[in-house]
Amino acid sequence: MTTLSEQIAGERRRLKSVRQLLTTAVARKSGGDPSFVPFYIALGDYIEAAMGRLHAQDVKMGDMIRRKLVTLDDKSRQALDELHERLTGNQAHLAVFSAARNALQGEGADALARFEQASAAYTAYIVASMGHHGLTTELAAKLFSEADWAWMAGITAEETALEQQLYARVHDLLPGALADLQPAAVGPA
């Protein structure tokens, strides 16, 4: 049986591998190839679900830090302000990305360029702005118990199964033009 931290680490590795796959695919461009449509939809579904989970976890983290500190000093306030700014930016990019994925569902290959443009902007934002940041990570490490981490992670069997299903679907729908991009070994599911 995997531990909570191993399970979270596995999810994060898979998310990173899918984000890297998306980055590479949109940099190469589909060239209008309709085989990219179901693949990009699968990527969109995975990213939307995974980033939605990360958003929920980070919102919980911020709320928990505020409750546990009661009074915020300048450093804590700065950390929480930066977290809020990153989460707000992420949600804005995710909305554009999801709309572009939805356009693929409705318009097919005619929406490929729009999806690639939205994806390039979103993956650049993720690389530049998301992930663990020192101040909030330090506060959480200092303040949270194992039970806090488990509650914040909110991992259920259903969410785990969905994440694994969406991850497999991305690789099952890899277009022939991207056949050289095989899934990386990302640890146990």
Side-chain angles (χ1 to χ4, degrees):
M1 174 173 256
T2 59
T3 67
L4 175 65
S5 61
E6 290 169 339
Q7 195 168 358
I8 292 169
E11 281 185 16
R12 301 277 169 124
R13 282 190 303 271
R14 287 187 297 278
L15 173 57
K16 182 178 179 181
S17 75
V18 169
R19 194 257 321 140
Q20 289 170 332
L21 180 60
L22 177 61
T23 300
T24 301
V26 300
R28 289 186 185 180
K29 305 255 186 267
S30 64
D33 180 347
S35 71
F36 276 72
V37 173
F39 171 65
Y40 279 166
I41 290 170
L43 281 166
D45 291 346
Y46 183 90
I47 295 287
E48 185 179 71
M51 293 306 287
R53 279 184 44 71
L54 280 177
H55 180 79
Q57 291 169 353
D58 285 350
V59 167
K60 284 182 188 177
M61 179 175 63
D63 290 346
M64 291 169 63
I65 289 171
R66 281 183 196 84
R67 279 195 307 274
K68 288 181 177 286
L69 286 177
V70 182
T71 304
L72 300 177
D73 61 19
D74 289 340
K75 186 177 178 181
S76 300
R77 187 172 287 105
Q78 177 188 352
L80 293 170
D81 287 348
E82 288 173 2
L83 175 64
H84 176 74
E85 187 176 310
R86 285 192 313 273
L87 292 176
T88 300
N90 180 65
Q91 289 305 103
H93 279 279
L94 182 57
V96 172
F97 175 79
S98 294
R101 186 266 332 264
N102 293 344
L104 282 174
Q105 292 170 321
E107 301 168 30
D110 291 341
L112 283 167
R114 176 179 171 195
F115 181 81
E116 289 171 342
Q117 183 179 19
S119 297
Y122 189 30
T123 58
Y125 180 81
I126 291 170
V127 169
S129 302
M130 299 303 290
H132 293 288
H133 292 271
L135 294 176
T136 50
T137 302
E138 288 173 22
L139 284 170
K142 182 171 64 172
L143 297 170
F144 292 0
S145 67
E146 281 299 314
D148 291 331
W149 286 107
W151 183 80
M152 188 186 81
I155 293 176
T156 66
E158 295 81 19
E159 286 179 334
T160 298
L162 176 62
E163 187 266 341
Q164 292 171 357
Q165 174 190 9
L166 293 172
Y167 180 79
R169 191 165 150 251
V170 165
H171 295 289
D172 289 346
L173 294 171
L174 194 68
L178 301 175
D180 61 305
L181 301 176
Q182 297 304 315
V186 292

